[in-house]
Amino acid sequence: AQTVTQSQPEMSVQEAETVTLSCTYDTSESDYYLFWYKQPPSRQMILVIRQEAYKQQNATENRFSVNFQKAAKSFSLKISDSQLGDAAMYFCAYRRRALNYGGSQGNLIFGKGTKLSVKP
Amino acid sequence: EPEVTQTPSHQVTQMGQEVILRCVPISNHLYFYWYRQILGQKVEFLVSFYNNEISEKSEIFDDQFSVERPDGSNFTLKIRSTKLEDSAMYFCASSEEYYYGYTFGSGTRLTVV
């Protein structure tokens, strides 16, 4: 079974600095998707960034980027120029690639999350 | 930007009662999901739904739970005979294609007393 591990329960960063959140996963699949979701105090789940395993290029979204190391099964999130609004729980998630329409699509498997605090 | 809408945002119910959690997925999405998050724990998959039927469900999704798409827009999760341990945040999500990421709703906080 696939598992997702986030080894940092809490992290802290100074405003405007850079922070990296770690995530490792275990799977026997070769094709899958990886995600980072942000959950602010409102508890809504917000997609931050998405990576397709067959793509070697690391995904980036503005201040957010990932370091995807497929062989090491590592998927870290880097937040540059941290802002107070970045304070939240961050969840790493894995989803296997569904092969066709309908049927089993492969549900998201989440890590336990990392609570990020941003200091002014 | 299109949103997944969930109602109510917070529901309190007595143990043993039935509750229905409602979701309006994004209109052109075809795949629908329910997840739950017990306070302080990880987000867990409950069920996925496509073409008016369940496509996958977890061990959590037992006979106490059911899902329905009663019309072209709503997607509901019914919990029969609620238990204290059903207290959690319930998230609805939808996706346009099977290879896309999900869009989550803002969740319904269910409290069973």
Side-chain angles (χ1 to χ4, degrees):
Chain A
Q2 295 89 0
T3 59
V4 176
T5 302
Q6 293 180 251
S7 59
Q8 305 153 316
E10 295 188 28
M11 291 282 287
S12 180
V13 63
Q14 204 73 31
E15 196 176 5
E17 297 294 307
T18 295
V19 65
T20 298
L21 309 183
S22 301
C23 173
T24 58
Y25 58 94
D26 188 25
T27 183
S28 57
E29 305 276 345
S30 60
D31 203 4
Y32 46 86
Y33 306 99
L34 296 164
F35 305 87
W36 279 97
Y37 280 90
K38 170 184 177 182
Q39 188 180 43
S42 66
R43 300 198 72 183
Q44 183 169 4
M45 297 291 286
I46 302 167
L47 177 64
V48 174
I49 200 163
R50 171 177 177 266
Q51 175 81 41
E52 293 162 85
Y54 69 87
K55 289 186 177 179
Q56 292 184 339
Q57 187 172 6
N58 289 322
T60 62
E61 286 287 342
N62 301 313
R63 298 183 295 107
F64 299 87
S65 61
V66 298
N67 183 3
F68 173 48
Q69 300 291 327
K70 191 173 183 179
K73 295 181 182 175
S74 170
F75 183 61
S76 61
L77 174 70
K78 185 172 82 171
I79 306 174
S80 304
D81 185 25
S82 297
Q83 300 175 359
L84 295 177
D86 295 333
M89 282 290 286
Y90 285 82
F91 292 96
C92 179
Y94 165 99
R95 181 187 184 192
R96 67 176 172 81
R97 185 181 176 92
L99 298 178
N100 50 37
Y101 286 96
S104 175
Q105 300 306 311
N107 49 285
L108 282 172
I109 299 169
F110 286 88
K112 289 187 175 181
T114 296
K115 183 177 181 180
L116 178 67
S117 302
V118 181
K119 298 178 181 177
Chain B
E1 188 167 333
E3 292 183 344
V4 174
T5 305
Q6 288 187 245
T7 55
S9 58
H10 190 190
Q11 176 144 9
V12 181
T13 189
Q14 292 216 326
M15 193 168 55
Q17 295 297 304
E18 175 182 287
V19 295
I20 297 176
L21 309 183
R22 301 180 192 280
C23 170
V24 179
I26 295 173
S27 61
N28 64 332
H29 284 192
L30 302 176
Y31 300 88
F32 314 114
Y33 312 88
W34 284 100
Y35 285 74
R36 80 172 184 190
Q37 184 184 31
I38 295 173
L39 186 62
Q41 298 187 24
K42 65 169 65 176
V43 182
E44 301 172 296
F45 168 73
L46 291 178
V47 66
S48 60
F49 193 85
Y50 170 77
N51 200 25
N52 287 320
E53 62 182 23
I54 291 173
S55 51
E56 191 170 7
K57 60 184 180 180
S58 72
E59 293 176 350
I60 303 168
F61 194 87
D62 58 21
D63 292 342
Q64 184 193 8
F65 295 89
S66 62
V67 289
E68 195 176 40
R69 190 162 162 80
D71 52 41
S73 59
N74 290 285
F75 179 50
T76 62
L77 174 69
K78 182 188 292 185
I79 310 174
R80 286 180 282 274
S81 188
T82 49
K83 298 175 277 194
L84 294 176
E85 53 264 39
D86 294 327
S87 295
M89 196 78 167
Y90 288 82
F91 291 100
C92 174
S94 67
S95 66
E96 184 176 354
E97 294 286 359
Y98 63 88
Y99 45 82
Y100 282 13
Y102 302 3
T103 301
F104 280 89
S106 54
T108 293
R109 185 190 301 263
L110 176 65
T111 303
V112 182
V113 297

